[in-house]
Amino acid sequence: MPLPDHKLIICGIPELPHHAMLGVSHVLSIIDTHEPRPPALDEFYDIDHELIRFDDVVAEYPGYEACAPHHIERLLDFGERAHARAGSHMLIHCHAGISRSQAAAGILMCQHAPGREEESFLRLLELRKHGWPNTRMVEFADQLLKREGALLRGLQAYRVALIAAKPHLRDVIRNIGRGHELPE
């Protein structure tokens, strides 16, 4: 099965105004629990908008709401709606366009392309020049889609390719406390 051919944009909140007039049909917002709805979303017209709130953490920490399976169920429901519309044009954003939105894009590309998980995650390299998808989100999606680790292997292939192209990111990832996610 080929990868879905929907147009896809990944960005952070500061970039939203640049995409408002590009014919986007579906917007997925994944933002922190206490972050206000970005006012720039008011510039998007006639869209299917899904707002999901959880913090960008990869484990349970006091004072933060980590991603849970019900968040990924909502993400997958959004993907079903976008997939059902011919010619859909999705925009996925989180705060910075680096972790949650990258994970969501990879998950949505995998959703209707079983067996193409590695290709789906490697496509992220073309869609956004930098990113480090949220592992917790991918773990839950892998379980919900019953892919037996295929999404996690796709994520690992992406990380290997990204670090090969940009080795300096190893230090950045370590400095943000996610060094355990680095490929060997």
Side-chain angles (χ1 to χ4, degrees):
M1 180 171 281
L3 290 180
D5 61 355
H6 311 291
K7 292 180 184 176
L8 179 59
I9 297 168
I10 303 168
C11 71
I13 292 173
E15 301 160 83
L16 284 172
H18 305 294
H19 303 293
M21 299 300 170
L22 297 180
V24 170
S25 61
H26 294 75
V27 175
L28 175 63
S29 302
I30 305 175
I31 58 176
D32 295 345
T33 54
H34 301 294
E35 188 162 5
R37 180 183 176 279
L41 291 171
D42 295 338
E43 301 301 317
F44 289 81
Y45 300 101
D46 196 27
I47 59 168
D48 178 337
H49 181 235
E50 186 74 30
L51 173 62
I52 303 174
R53 292 181 179 278
F54 59 87
D55 297 304
D56 188 21
V57 292
V58 293
E60 298 283 339
Y61 297 106
Y64 294 92
E65 183 178 345
C67 177
H70 69 91
H71 295 119
I72 301 305
E73 288 169 353
R74 288 184 56 202
L75 184 151
L76 294 171
D77 288 345
F78 171 84
E80 288 296 337
R81 295 193 310 270
H83 185 75
R85 180 174 170 179
S88 67
H89 185 177
M90 286 188 276
L91 182 143
I92 302 169
H93 83 88
C94 58
H95 186 82
I98 293 173
S99 180
R100 292 168 288 183
S101 58
Q102 291 270 342
I107 290 164
L108 292 175
M109 286 189 287
C110 292
Q111 185 174 14
H112 289 282
R116 309 291 294 273
E117 292 84 3
E118 184 173 323
E119 184 181 349
S120 296
F121 275 94
L122 289 174
R123 185 165 176 236
L124 293 174
L125 297 168
E126 302 165 19
L127 294 171
R128 186 105 168 132
K129 64 182 177 180
H130 58 280
W132 198 259
N134 183 296
T135 303
R136 186 176 175 95
M137 292 174 64
V138 177
E139 288 171 343
F140 288 138
D142 189 83
Q143 293 166 9
L144 290 167
L145 293 171
K146 297 178 175 48
R147 299 292 174 84
E148 300 178 356
L151 271 78
L152 293 166
R153 289 188 295 277
L155 175 60
Q156 183 72 358
Y158 165 84
R159 288 179 173 164
V160 167
L162 180 67
I163 294 298
K166 299 177 180 187
H168 68 280
L169 289 179
R170 281 189 175 281
D171 291 334
V172 172
I173 299 305
R174 281 190 192 102
N175 289 339
I176 63 169
R178 290 174 64 179
H180 64 282
E181 297 175 332
L182 287 165
E184 296 298 319

